[in-house]
Amino acid sequence: MIEKKVVVGLPHGLHARPAANFVKLATTFKSEIKLVKNEKEANGKSIMGVMASAIAKGDEISLVANGVDEAEAIAALEKVLLEEE
Amino acid sequence: MSREIAGVKASAGIVIGAALLLQNSELEVQTVSVEDADAEIRRFQEALEKAKADLQEISERVEREMGPEQADIFRAHLMVLEDPELVDTVTATIKQERVNAESALNDAAQGFISIFEQMDNEYMRERAADIRDVTRRVLSYLLGVELGMPGQTKEEVIVIAKDLTPSDTAQLDRRYVKGFVTDIGGRTSHSAIMARSMGIPAVVGTREITSAVQPGSKIIVDGHAGVVIIDPSEEQIALYRAKQAEYDRQKAEWAQLVDRKTVSQDGHHVELAANIGSPQDLEEVIAHGAEGVGLFRTEFLYMGREDFPSEEEQFQAYKQVLEKMEGKPVVIRTLDIGGDKHLPYLNMPEEMNPFLGFRAIRLCLDQQDLFRTQLRALLRASVYGNLKIMFPMIATLEEFRQAKALLEEEKEALQKSGVDLSKPFEVGIMIEIPAAAMMADVFADEVDFFSIGTNDLIQYTLAADRMNERVSYLYQPYHPAVLRLIRQVIEAGHAKGKWVGMCGEMAGDPIAIPILLGMGLDEFSMSASSILPARQQIGGISREMAAKEIPLILGMSTSQQVEDFVTNRFAHMNS
């Protein structure tokens, strides 16, 4: 399992299209993906889970991946969270 | 038995057709225990697959017919059905509690809906409606009930709704919608404006149409009288067919005026322009012989979507309008959001008094990134036609100066990066706040033009919320107070050599037209469908004679007095 702290750069947070992009990408990995904000966990492959966690720009969250391709998953998904435009 | 319901006439014309109710009836879900959990899970999965196939087909068709932006919502719905949290919860519930799929799905969805409904962000709260919507689709397959898909009709219909929001109308397929009837709203509500720009009849504010009409019933919508007839008799249908024919004849007469200039009886030219919400509206505008676009409400570019339109997207829309108008003037109003127009993705707190609140230029001067993006798109489009940029809701000179300074900053930056901005364009303001009308002489030194936005000017002058039916009697366009303000603005503009237009509904109103013409208004911007009747009317009025009546009109005591006077004085001049 890998856990990485990320400060979200997306200008409108993990809303709408960015959330959809995150989930679509997460689904391509075999590993289990989680987003943790204020000790609340969301399934990174669940669009409703991700949106309900209301992750905003500047939030410090943990990105967790657990599985065979966890390293690739963390690297790819972190990029989505850091995007500024 | 036929039944007649009266409402507010919102858009002219007569249509006879089938009613389509835009409303979500509740699907009833009962909890039943099941013996064979695996069979129940299979039933759930089959319904899920059918719903996904539906959405796939709809999103592809919408993308083809209306573009990728409009299809986004259905792709988002697809993702909800693919959400493992939802699917796993439902299957686990069926297995552990041995309940039917309908009940398990309903419970799981309710769980998510209540999470979203409690969020403090309007965009997120609206996602609850999305979840409800997709759940209904799966439930309908489980229950074997057919769902009406309002936005996705393939037949010609008359849309019946409580109210039509801007995002509702963005999703409607314009080819099939032949009329609107709503429970609430007035002449200036979104549904009314939309109907006029689409050139279809509408009656709004009927209070009870949604409860009075059955889906599929035959109805007659008379947009001239503001009347709807449900289940009409053969005689009524014949009568209205005759009226329709008469209206068509009148339209044919107007059609001959399409390529003419608008000239008063005594030879004065005025410009008749159209109000639009998107490049799509231009077809109607050109067909009705507009001499320009007097108001492009850019907020519609921001509505019915999930995120802000990019600079490039806006640039393309502005460029398209400027090019299609072939050098005729195009007044583009910068973003006017707030009041009755919300953007779900722009998180704005609820206000007690939205029409007096954080909207239009106030919001743009605060959220400068948003504003600058739009200004850059406008600047880049400026070389493609005759652009006039207009700032809405200006109350003070400082606001205008600040907005103009931002425009100048963006202009310089673009020029430095080598963008062609060689074509001059005008920068003006919308006069809709009484303070700005009173100070028009001061503004006239710094702006290139005024356009009087009467919908708001009237509601602010008489302090009457135009969305509130109980004070609608105070929405008085001909009130001498309103007319005096209008006169003051026109005079102030002309004294400094600036042109003055009007882009509210009043500009196309047959009672107001003789008064405005007499006051010397230069440009009248209205719904496309009002242009030809207005051109015909103006052709029959002498501006000099109308001007002589202005002092008398401005000295009158009530709106009714003005209306009666104008009707009598100018009636013989109208054909």
Side-chain angles (χ1 to χ4, degrees):
Chain A
M1 190 189 81
I2 307 179
E3 178 170 349
K4 185 149 192 198
K5 293 243 185 281
V6 184
V7 177
V8 177
L10 292 159
H12 303 293
L14 214 44
H15 267 195
R17 202 163 304 149
N21 291 343
F22 182 91
V23 172
K24 274 181 210 153
L25 187 60
T27 314
T28 62
F29 295 103
K30 291 197 184 70
S31 303
E32 204 186 307
I33 313 286
K34 273 188 216 154
L35 287 167
V36 190
K37 179 184 158 183
N38 300 336
E39 287 164 36
K40 267 203 222 154
E41 278 186 11
N43 179 344
K45 296 182 182 180
S46 157
I47 184 71
M48 290 188 283
V50 169
M51 288 186 48
S53 57
I55 291 168
K57 180 183 167 73
D59 281 353
E60 197 192 78
I61 59 165
S62 295
L63 175 61
V64 184
N66 189 7
V68 288
D69 48 7
E70 55 190 34
E72 296 97 305
I74 291 277
L77 292 168
E78 185 188 11
K79 232 184 255 169
V80 177
L81 296 173
L82 292 176
E83 259 174 53
E84 290 192 355
E85 182 59 52
Chain B
M1 259 296 277
S2 77
R3 178 166 175 210
E4 206 170 302
I5 292 179
V8 178
K9 44 191 173 192
S11 179
I14 289 168
V15 64
I16 304 173
L20 178 89
L21 256 74
L22 266 196
Q23 68 171 7
N24 299 329
S25 53
E26 282 302 311
L27 291 175
E28 209 167 313
V29 174
Q30 283 170 343
T31 309
V32 192
S33 55
V34 293
E35 295 279 309
D36 185 348
D38 289 336
E40 196 63 14
I41 290 171
R42 272 197 303 279
R43 208 165 72 81
F44 169 62
Q45 276 161 346
E46 277 163 23
L48 198 61
E49 289 312 315
K50 283 184 191 151
K52 281 199 232 173
D54 268 5
L55 284 168
Q56 190 66 43
E57 193 230 303
I58 292 172
S59 71
E60 281 166 16
R61 187 160 49 78
V62 170
E63 170 148 11
R64 215 168 40 240
E65 291 170 5
M66 295 186 250
E69 297 295 336
Q70 310 281 1
D72 271 356
I73 181 90
F74 300 105
R75 274 195 288 268
H77 285 188
L78 253 178
M79 286 191 77
V80 171
L81 292 189
E82 283 163 357
D83 193 315
E85 294 283 301
L86 178 74
V87 179
D88 295 351
T89 310
V90 175
T91 26
T93 311
I94 296 174
K95 206 174 268 170
Q96 286 155 18
E97 296 176 21
R98 306 225 157 235
V99 291
N100 54 333
E102 289 90 335
S103 157
L105 171 62
N106 208 34
D107 287 354
Q110 275 310 327
F112 282 108
I113 289 168
S114 57
I115 294 174
F116 280 93
E117 273 177 344
Q118 282 162 25
M119 294 174 83
D120 60 358
N121 169 315
E122 191 190 343
Y123 179 81
M124 289 299 188
R125 281 197 300 274
E126 287 193 7
R127 305 285 64 76
D130 286 338
I131 301 171
R132 205 171 281 129
D133 200 358
V134 276
T135 309
R136 282 170 52 79
R137 199 181 284 275
V138 184
L139 278 177
S140 76
Y141 277 112
L142 285 169
L143 294 164
V145 180
E146 223 175 291
L147 274 190
M149 276 299 139
Q152 306 309 316
T153 173
K154 288 179 179 169
E155 282 163 33
E156 297 197 345
V157 290
I158 297 165
V159 171
I160 310 290
K162 200 165 175 348
D163 188 18
L164 282 167
T165 64
S167 23
D168 284 335
T169 44
Q171 280 186 57
L172 287 172
D173 190 334
R174 295 178 173 209
R175 289 171 304 169
Y176 301 119
V177 177
K178 297 297 163 195
F180 287 155
V181 186
T182 63
D183 282 346
I184 59 175
R187 255 194 82 77
T188 56
S189 59
H190 174 76
S191 48
I193 292 171
M194 203 62 196
R196 285 194 294 275
S197 85
M198 289 166 73
I200 60 173
V203 176
V204 301
T206 61
R207 289 163 200 268
E208 51 173 346
I209 191 72
T210 53
S211 49
V213 78
Q214 294 297 316
S217 310
K218 186 170 252 187
I219 59 173
I220 299 176
V221 180
D222 180 352
H224 304 289
V227 167
V228 184
I229 300 168
I230 303 167
D231 300 323
S233 65
E234 288 303 319
E235 290 78 28
Q236 283 172 315
I237 292 177
L239 175 71
Y240 276 90
R241 292 237 186 271
K243 284 193 185 184
Q244 217 174 9
E246 167 58 21
Y247 181 62
D248 289 344
R249 191 196 56 76
Q250 173 78 71
K251 275 215 308 218
E253 212 176 289
W254 290 332
Q256 296 179 341
L257 299 171
V258 167
D259 299 319
R260 307 254 181 90
K261 283 212 171 265
T262 311
V263 183
S264 68
Q265 201 184 42
D266 53 342
H268 293 281
H269 172 245
V270 292
E271 185 191 312
L272 291 195
N275 298 341
I276 64 168
S278 81
Q280 278 183 49
D281 298 333
L282 283 177
E283 216 174 299
E284 280 280 312
V285 169
I286 293 164
H288 286 90
E291 292 160 86
V293 167
L295 172 64
F296 180 176
R297 301 183 166 95
T298 56
E299 51 277 12
F300 290 110
L301 297 176
Y302 292 71
M303 290 174 171
R305 46 185 298 144
E306 296 184 356
D307 211 342
F308 296 102
S310 67
E311 179 184 323
E312 186 60 26
E313 239 174 281
Q314 293 189 53
F315 163 70
Q316 290 298 345
Y318 305 148
K319 173 172 176 253
Q320 200 184 338
V321 172
L322 287 162
E323 283 181 338
K324 282 213 179 134
M325 290 309 290
E326 297 174 330
K328 295 190 182 106
V330 174
V331 180
I332 303 188
R333 176 176 74 184
T334 59
L335 185 60
D336 181 3
I337 216 75
D340 60 337
K341 290 167 286 196
H342 289 283
L343 294 182
Y345 50 85
L346 181 66
N347 190 17
M348 291 198 293
E350 292 267 324
E351 293 187 337
M352 290 289 286
N353 247 326
F355 278 110
L356 301 182
F358 189 58
R359 58 176 285 210
I361 200 71
R362 305 167 179 187
L363 183 142
C364 285
L365 291 175
D366 180 71
Q367 314 234 342
Q368 291 195 2
D369 287 350
L370 178 68
F371 193 39
R372 284 175 190 270
T373 305
Q374 181 171 40
L375 294 177
R376 278 196 302 275
L378 284 167
L379 286 163
R380 285 172 53 203
S382 64
V383 290
Y384 295 95
N386 185 356
L387 172 67
K388 297 166 194 304
I389 297 176
M390 174 162 76
F391 300 129
M393 280 291 285
I394 296 284
T396 67
L397 194 59
E398 290 92 332
E399 283 171 335
F400 173 70
R401 286 180 178 158
Q402 214 184 327
K404 180 128 192 235
L406 292 176
L407 182 69
E408 290 300 326
E409 276 176 40
E410 291 304 326
K411 188 177 167 185
E412 260 175 54
L414 283 175
Q415 266 166 335
K416 264 190 202 145
S417 61
V419 176
D420 175 15
L421 300 176
S422 55
K423 210 159 183 270
F425 54 86
E426 294 184 349
V427 182
I429 61 171
M430 197 150 158
I431 300 272
E432 50 199 325
I433 297 178
M438 298 297 295
M439 298 292 282
D441 56 330
V442 175
F443 278 103
D445 285 322
E446 301 190 25
V447 303
D448 296 322
F449 66 90
F450 291 133
S451 183
I452 306 169
T454 46
N455 300 356
D456 279 334
L457 184 64
I458 296 165
Q459 76 164 344
Y460 293 141
T461 303
L462 289 130
D465 181 348
R466 62 183 157 103
M467 308 303 278
N468 185 340
E469 284 163 46
R470 297 169 75 182
V471 296
S472 64
Y473 73 96
L474 282 170
Y475 190 80
Q476 301 180 359
Y478 326 124
H479 192 283
V482 176
L483 298 178
R484 288 181 193 193
L485 284 173
I486 292 171
R487 158 75 157 193
Q488 196 170 334
V489 175
I490 297 174
E491 302 249 288
H494 288 177
K496 301 278 164 59
K498 309 291 165 72
W499 66 269
V500 182
M502 177 177 288
C503 57
E505 290 308 315
M506 194 173 167
D509 179 334
I511 304 275
I513 284 174
I515 308 176
L516 299 170
L517 184 72
M519 288 180 178
L521 191 75
D522 302 293
E523 179 236 36
F524 298 63
S525 191
M526 57 193 74
S527 302
S529 57
S530 304
I531 289 176
L532 295 171
R535 183 166 294 156
Q536 190 178 35
Q537 190 190 2
I538 290 172
I541 305 173
S542 154
R543 191 171 93 178
E544 307 288 324
M545 275 168 73
K548 289 204 184 93
E549 306 292 2
I550 299 301
L552 179 66
I553 292 172
L554 294 181
M556 288 181 176
S557 325
T558 65
S559 173
Q560 192 60 50
Q561 217 181 340
V562 173
E563 185 172 347
D564 292 345
F565 175 79
V566 174
T567 313
N568 291 325
R569 179 70 183 79
F570 296 96
H572 68 283
M573 291 179 175
N574 307 344
S575 56

